[in-house]
Amino acid sequence: MKMLSSLKPLLAGVALLLVVAPAAAQQQAADRPVEEDEPIRVGEGVTTAIPIAIPYMPTPRPADTAAGNTQNLGRQVAEIVATDLRNSGLFTPIGPPGLPAVSFPQVTAPDFGAFSPTGANNLVQGFVQANPDGTLTVGCYLYDVTLRSELTRQGYVVQPPEWRRAAHRCADTIYSRLTGEGGYFDTRIVYVSETGPARRRIKRLAIMDYDGANHRFLTNGQWTVLTPRFAPNQQTITFMTYQDERPRVMVYELDSGRTRPLVQQPHMTFAPRYSPDSRYIIFSMAVNGNTDIYRIPVSGGSPQRLTNSPGVDTGGSYSPDGSRIVFESDRSGSQQLYVMNADGSDQRRISFGGGGYATPVWSPRGDLIAFTRTGSFQIGVMSPGGSGERILTRGGFAEGPTWAPNGRAVMFTRGASSGQLWYVDVASGTTRRVPTPLGGSDPAWSPLRD
Amino acid sequence: MKKSMISLVAAAASLSLVAGCAPRTRELPPEPPSSSTPGDLGNQDSTIGGTAVPGSRADFLQSVPSDRVLFGFDSYSIDAEARAILDAQAQWLNRNPNVRVTIEGHADERGTREYNLALGDRRANAARDYLQSRGIAANRMQTISWGKERPAVEGSNESAWAQNRRAVTVVPE
């Protein structure tokens, strides 16, 4: 099995997580049935969903582990892989229930004939094995049923509490091999958990896997928090807080564990977002009723002003190469999208529709900008030049898109007073709700985990 | 990999510490506090009958037609009705020169979160600027925007929205 060496680091990290987040109950959220919208066909990029057979994964020897018996884990891993692939809208998983049982020796020597009648183009097999040192090995194999050949294989060694990551990485491998795109399943979401009446809403930072599993709260709700965002290098999180009744942007340093204000200013700072190299944060600052966009090194320093219109300039987001910034401004009289160079020069309007546009976010692929259509409160995308606008969501009350690291899916908040998290696959239009223990808003998708 | 995982754990723990919360054994959050969510509920008059102490919040609320002014959709202009209210507030503030106030700006839910923070800031500043034009020193007034985070009235209808588009002059208790 290859990849074992590259997975060594996983062990150490996983062991630590065991201490902080042992609660098996945290996984209940992910086990709830997801709600599903009728798929929306968005025009270009629509693909036919690939039929793929995913039988339960055997174990060479049933063994009890901290995550349960390996026999049971093999069933769950297969189910997670199937759910990940189904939710992308790009696959039609067949099974695991109802498929022929796979024995351990068959994992590397599939009985292709048994799966031909299912109509599947592809077959995913794997196994879960308990190791003497307490770790788990999860094997993941992708086959072409018609050609009767192996397409790829991966093996993951994880501590038991991290077993879901192995399943997500297996799904990422399959997604990537069959679509040619990077995956997005082994990722996390930092978001704002909400509860209580609107007048006294309790808002807490929370973090979870992209599918809602392994949910943890990061703040206790004493102060309202808004708009968290992952640094691309995953070393810091920036967010806005009303701590001490001073609304401002904070940086939460993951290495040191410190939380500190981004800017030493008496004015409100908000709408933070990282540069692609994680060295800078652009943010908005309201000074005497006028809001502009500024840039500052994450490590501190003095802010550099990038816009100076008398209107509200906010919601800045970098292009993936860091050379440009898309932002919203009401300088024309309504909220519209503009693109400027990273130093603030050459500001050009790119949106012209009625009703307005807000919260632009540049895709990690660079090809699209996601936004909130104000008025109707829908999520849409357009090219960085402003052409090709299309709406991805049905119904209203959608706001605040965030891109999956492969640029193929967008998560957003839905709901006015009680928020929920949803995501839509940009190519297939498949929309899913992400389960959260309470209400949720302001999701930010992490990069793929290392 | 190792580094980032470790740091996340440390960060999670430290955020809890920063926020002053003990380690949690259960994942459900605490019930919302039953009173005194600080600073975001405008003025609450606890005086029942009797004469309010001059310069107090109760005195302010008894002396002015309203502690808040309302705005049109996506607007921060001070209309005639708002001017009348702010004129009365300015008179009271001129009579009580030692009182400092906070002006909260709020928006209805029909705007994106970040834009509404800017809009609330505009409204709070519009009210402050008007009071300043009526002789109130700028250093007696601070502003805070709550965007759409703290509606006065719940509901998704014209009446609720109208009451939520507001700037509230908050006198310390």
Side-chain angles (χ1 to χ4, degrees):
Chain A
M1 181 93 55
K2 65 176 179 176
M3 281 208 57
L4 292 186
S5 61
S6 72
L7 285 165
K8 284 266 168 59
L10 204 53
L11 296 171
V14 169
L16 276 171
L17 270 189
L18 178 59
V19 176
V20 169
Q26 290 169 358
Q27 280 167 9
Q28 285 174 354
D31 297 335
R32 267 184 244 147
V34 289
E35 295 175 34
E36 183 178 5
D37 265 3
E38 187 184 338
I40 303 159
R41 296 300 166 188
V42 292
E44 73 180 21
V46 172
T47 53
T48 306
I50 300 169
I52 184 166
I54 309 175
Y56 290 123
M57 297 181 178
T59 182
R61 190 179 305 106
D64 289 322
T65 75
N69 191 279
T70 52
Q71 208 158 21
N72 191 37
L73 285 172
R75 299 171 68 90
Q76 292 175 279
V77 168
E79 283 165 356
I80 290 169
V81 171
T83 301
D84 282 348
L85 295 177
R86 179 182 297 112
N87 286 354
S88 76
L90 302 181
F91 297 85
T92 305
I94 300 159
L99 290 180
V102 175
S103 69
F104 182 65
Q106 285 176 328
V107 171
T108 51
D111 180 3
F112 289 111
F115 292 96
S116 296
T118 65
N121 293 0
N122 296 97
L123 169 66
V124 178
Q125 295 195 151
F127 66 88
V128 176
Q129 171 183 297
N131 302 317
D133 64 357
T135 61
L136 296 171
T137 298
V138 177
C140 173
Y141 299 75
L142 174 65
Y143 298 99
D144 186 306
V145 175
T146 311
L147 299 178
R148 297 179 168 242
S149 64
E150 180 183 314
L151 297 179
T152 190
R153 65 167 68 182
Q154 299 279 291
Y156 311 106
V157 178
V158 293
Q159 293 287 352
E162 287 269 299
W163 67 274
R164 295 183 69 95
R165 284 195 62 193
H168 291 311
R169 293 192 120 187
C170 178
D172 278 329
T173 295
I174 292 153
Y175 180 100
S176 188
R177 179 66 180 76
L178 295 180
T179 69
E181 311 281 353
Y184 61 84
F185 306 122
D186 185 23
T187 53
R188 290 173 297 178
I189 307 294
V190 60
Y191 78 103
V192 174
S193 174
E194 304 187 4
T195 188
R199 295 180 64 223
R200 294 182 178 190
R201 203 93 169 126
I202 304 294
K203 294 198 167 194
R204 313 167 69 189
L205 279 189
I207 192 169
M208 62 187 181
D209 296 350
Y210 102 99
D211 62 357
N214 293 311
H215 187 279
R216 284 186 295 134
F217 291 106
L218 301 181
T219 61
N220 68 1
Q222 180 183 8
W223 307 107
T224 291
V225 292
L226 302 173
T227 62
R229 271 110 201 207
F230 269 107
N233 63 12
Q234 304 197 57
Q235 289 178 359
T236 55
I237 289 171
T238 185
F239 63 101
M240 187 209 185
T241 177
Y242 277 79
Q243 186 176 334
D244 304 323
E245 291 170 51
R246 289 190 58 192
R248 53 184 173 167
V249 173
M250 306 292 275
V251 174
Y252 170 25
E253 296 177 347
L254 296 171
D255 274 350
S256 70
R258 286 195 307 141
T259 301
R260 59 176 169 82
L262 175 67
V263 192
Q264 298 294 345
Q265 291 280 343
H267 309 291
M268 174 173 71
T269 52
F270 59 107
R273 234 177 250 286
Y274 287 93
S275 62
D277 62 8
S278 301
R279 291 175 57 212
Y280 294 93
I281 290 174
I282 47 174
F283 63 96
S284 301
M285 184 158 65
V287 181
N288 297 325
N290 178 35
T291 293
D292 280 303
I293 296 173
Y294 298 75
R295 183 183 83 154
I296 192 170
V298 174
S299 54
S302 56
Q304 174 193 354
R305 188 170 177 172
L306 300 181
T307 67
N308 56 10
S309 88
V312 171
D313 296 334
T314 188
S317 170
Y318 276 95
S319 63
D321 67 1
S323 68
R324 288 180 291 168
I325 292 168
V326 63
F327 64 101
E328 63 172 89
S329 174
D330 68 351
R331 62 184 67 175
S332 73
S334 66
Q335 283 168 277
Q336 297 289 339
L337 305 186
Y338 295 75
V339 170
M340 62 184 173
N341 292 330
D343 64 0
S345 65
D346 197 18
Q347 301 183 7
R348 296 183 189 199
R349 181 171 167 179
I350 63 163
S351 73
F352 295 90
Y357 301 76
T359 71
V361 191
W362 214 306
S363 155
R365 295 160 59 93
D367 59 338
L368 293 173
I369 287 166
F371 54 81
T372 306
R373 199 76 153 84
T374 60
S376 61
F377 274 84
Q378 294 172 305
I379 304 299
V381 290
M382 65 172 63
S383 78
S387 63
E389 175 180 343
R390 51 201 163 107
I391 297 298
L392 301 178
T393 58
R394 274 171 202 235
F397 294 118
E399 174 178 356
T402 179
W403 285 99
N406 69 351
R408 301 311 304 235
V410 172
M411 194 175 291
F412 55 94
T413 306
R414 176 177 277 169
S417 54
S418 178
Q420 302 172 343
L421 305 187
W422 290 71
Y423 70 93
V424 57
D425 185 278
V426 173
S428 70
T430 306
T431 306
R432 300 278 174 174
R433 182 176 175 189
V434 183
T436 51
L438 303 165
S441 60
D442 294 358
W445 217 315
S446 80
L448 269 183
R449 299 175 73 176
D450 296 326
Chain B
M1 173 69 207
K2 177 177 178 180
K3 199 174 184 185
S4 67
M5 300 272 308
I6 291 171
S7 52
L8 177 68
V9 171
S14 86
L15 257 197
S16 297
L17 289 175
V18 165
C21 88
R24 285 174 192 288
T25 53
R26 290 190 298 170
E27 287 305 310
L28 285 179
E31 288 298 305
S34 58
S35 64
S36 72
T37 302
D40 52 13
L41 294 174
N43 297 285
Q44 290 170 305
D45 182 7
S46 56
T47 303
I48 302 171
T51 307
V53 176
S56 67
R57 174 182 292 180
D59 180 36
F60 175 71
L61 292 174
Q62 288 174 9
S63 305
V64 298
S66 175
D67 64 348
R68 62 198 59 199
V69 295
L70 304 181
F71 297 86
F73 174 68
D74 199 16
S75 166
Y76 57 104
S77 50
I78 303 288
D79 63 14
E81 188 179 346
R83 279 196 295 275
I85 291 167
L86 293 173
D87 283 341
Q89 292 184 4
Q91 286 173 19
W92 186 88
L93 287 166
N94 278 320
R95 286 199 307 272
N96 296 279
N98 295 323
V99 175
R100 303 164 85 96
V101 297
T102 299
I103 302 167
E104 300 175 350
H106 299 266
D108 71 25
E109 68 187 11
R110 292 176 301 165
T112 44
R113 190 175 320 286
E114 292 168 346
Y115 179 81
N116 276 357
L117 290 171
L119 181 57
D121 180 72
R122 280 173 157 174
R123 288 173 174 159
N125 275 277
R128 186 202 60 181
D129 291 349
Y130 187 86
L131 290 171
Q132 195 175 348
S133 78
R134 288 296 178 271
I136 311 304
N139 64 9
R140 294 177 60 195
M141 301 178 284
Q142 66 174 17
T143 60
I144 185 171
S145 172
W146 283 94
K148 60 177 174 180
E149 305 306 316
R150 286 292 183 273
V153 176
E154 301 197 18
S156 298
N157 54 67
E158 290 291 346
S159 168
W161 293 329
Q163 294 177 75
N164 291 336
R165 296 187 298 263
R166 68 201 192 277
V168 185
T169 305
V170 180
V171 173
E173 265 191 298

